[in-house]
Amino acid sequence: MTEFGFIDYIAKLFAHIPANDFEGIGDDCAILPLEGGESLVFTADLLAEHVHFLRHATSAYEIGRKSLAVNLSDVAAMGVRPIATLLSIALPSDLPKGWAEAFMKGYRSLSEEFSVALIGGDTTRSGSGITVNVTAIGRGPSANIKRRSDARSGDVIFVAGELGASGSGLQDLLAERFDTPQAVAHRNPQPQVTEGIWLGAHREVHAMMDLSDGLASDLRHILRRSKVGAEINTELIPIAEGSDLQTALCGGEDYKLLFTVDPFTADPLIRNFHSHFGTPIYPIGRITEGNELQWLRNGCPMEADWQGFTHF
Ligand code: ADP
Ligand code: MG
């Protein structure tokens, strides 16, 4: 079974149990509407040694930051502010001295940056390997929440940063090149928290998610949940320095926001975003009717079967 086949199986298996007002499985976060026009959102992400990181290639401090970063990215992708996390860690007995303390200092540095409280968790011994699970909670106006299911035919598709640095960095790490700028980017993802909250407050932004498995995989989630198709102009993909198109589309862990925008307000949004953040957002294609994902090169259809990262 594939990762996403298994998630579908889980969702069906539990479909008869009351949702208790939650909008559950299927988006970057689950949503719980509160009284007074606000909602809470919830997400959990797991990092496993040997799968998500290699101990000799990443410092404890960086793993601490990254465990939190990937969760804050999912909250940002909903268009709201992260407010708190729960942290559970399983640590093996062969850890170097000071590893756990350095991990916590990394986790704290990103918590401070975005004023996110650590409100609980669990600590245990592990039989082998480090496992970290973070649950993050966000809060914001219900009207600002962006779902994967809200893309409309004609929308312009945007990414909020360059792609491929993390994927190229992973290739560097696996080749024991630890200090390239791309390897550093892979170990230090920066979640687009402020950008996500800002985009959340803009009604012309329709669907949004964060790019964790690569555009070629993640865009399909928006298409499937919104029941639409897309055309992507591959020559418009912003490729990070030192990377390439294939890695920008299929490499994971860039943690940039992917979103769709009403076509009549796309140009002012580009200008407003740039004047607010000093960095660009990149239009890369448009949402179409139907359910096809079509790659284009200078307007011509391409024969390409790009897929992103999956676990199974
Ligand atoms: P993301 O990459 O944004 O973290 P995932 O692709 O990991 O999202 O998960 C897709 C959806 O499936 C999310 O809504 C997530 O909460 C849900 N999900 C993933 N694994 C499980 C699980 N074991 N049990 C319940 N829900 C899950
Ligand atoms: Mg996500």
Side-chain angles (χ1 to χ4, degrees):
M1 201 185 293
T2 65
E3 176 187 354
F4 297 113
F6 184 55
I7 294 171
D8 286 347
Y9 168 82
I10 294 173
K12 288 203 186 84
L13 196 65
F14 284 73
H16 65 287
I17 299 177
N20 300 332
D21 297 331
F22 277 88
E23 235 178 88
I25 297 174
D27 219 307
D28 293 286
C29 293
I31 306 165
L32 178 68
L34 304 172
E35 282 171 21
E38 285 205 314
S39 290
L40 294 176
V41 304
F42 300 82
T43 182
D45 265 294
L46 187 87
L47 269 77
E49 185 175 4
H50 309 300
V51 178
H52 295 94
F53 63 89
L54 302 168
R55 215 187 292 181
H56 72 276
T58 311
S59 72
Y61 186 92
E62 288 170 330
I63 297 167
R65 266 188 84 93
K66 186 165 179 174
S67 317
L68 180 59
V70 302
N71 280 275
L72 298 190
S73 180
D74 275 325
V75 173
M78 301 304 289
V80 300
R81 177 180 301 285
I83 55 171
T85 64
L86 297 136
L87 166 65
S88 300
I89 32 180
L91 300 173
S93 49
D94 65 350
L95 273 187
K97 192 170 177 299
W99 195 98
E101 290 81 356
F103 170 92
M104 287 314 310
K105 286 187 178 143
Y107 195 96
R108 183 184 64 171
S109 76
L110 195 60
S111 301
E112 275 170 355
E113 204 171 305
F114 294 114
S115 299
V116 180
L118 176 60
I119 58 164
D122 199 14
T123 306
T124 109
R125 181 179 294 280
S126 134
S128 85
I130 302 159
T131 305
V132 182
N133 180 260
V134 175
T135 299
I137 305 167
R139 180 175 184 159
S142 301
N144 289 13
I145 288 186
K146 306 299 183 198
R147 293 167 176 79
R148 296 176 178 185
S149 54
D150 285 335
R152 299 175 207 166
S153 174
D155 279 1
V156 181
I157 304 169
F158 281 91
V159 286
E162 295 178 346
L163 307 180
S166 183
S168 292
L170 178 59
Q171 292 162 19
D172 287 346
L173 289 180
L174 294 174
E176 313 259 314
R177 295 189 297 267
F178 299 122
D179 294 323
T180 67
Q182 294 76 21
V184 172
H186 176 81
R187 296 195 303 262
N188 296 280
Q190 186 63 16
Q192 296 192 296
V193 172
T194 321
E195 294 87 341
I197 298 166
W198 189 90
L199 291 165
H202 284 73
R203 290 295 104 83
E204 63 270 37
V205 177
H206 293 161
M208 185 153 71
M209 69 180 298
D210 69 326
L211 288 170
S212 52
D213 295 337
L215 180 77
S217 166
D218 288 328
L219 176 59
R220 289 176 215 271
H221 296 306
I222 288 184
L223 303 188
R224 190 160 76 115
R225 291 188 70 83
S226 298
K227 301 187 173 63
V228 292
E231 287 175 353
I232 298 296
N233 304 95
T234 54
E235 72 281 4
L236 297 182
I237 300 288
I239 302 172
E241 203 181 320
S243 190
D244 55 77
L245 180 63
Q246 163 104 17
T247 309
L249 295 178
C250 305
E253 302 205 289
D254 280 314
Y255 296 105
K256 300 292 186 253
L257 294 169
L258 170 70
F259 55 99
T260 80
V261 178
D262 180 301
F264 299 104
T265 48
D267 285 335
L269 190 77
I270 292 174
R271 287 194 295 275
N272 287 343
F273 189 96
H274 195 275
S275 65
H276 197 84
F277 292 103
T279 54
I281 52 174
Y282 302 89
I284 58 166
R286 64 183 190 95
I287 297 290
T288 57
E289 286 175 11
N291 56 14
E292 296 282 300
L293 172 52
Q294 179 68 64
W295 305 101
L296 303 174
R297 162 72 57 183
N298 300 322
C300 298
M302 298 172 75
E303 288 300 321
D305 184 28
W306 283 309
Q307 305 288 334
F309 177 83
T310 58
H311 274 282
F312 299 105

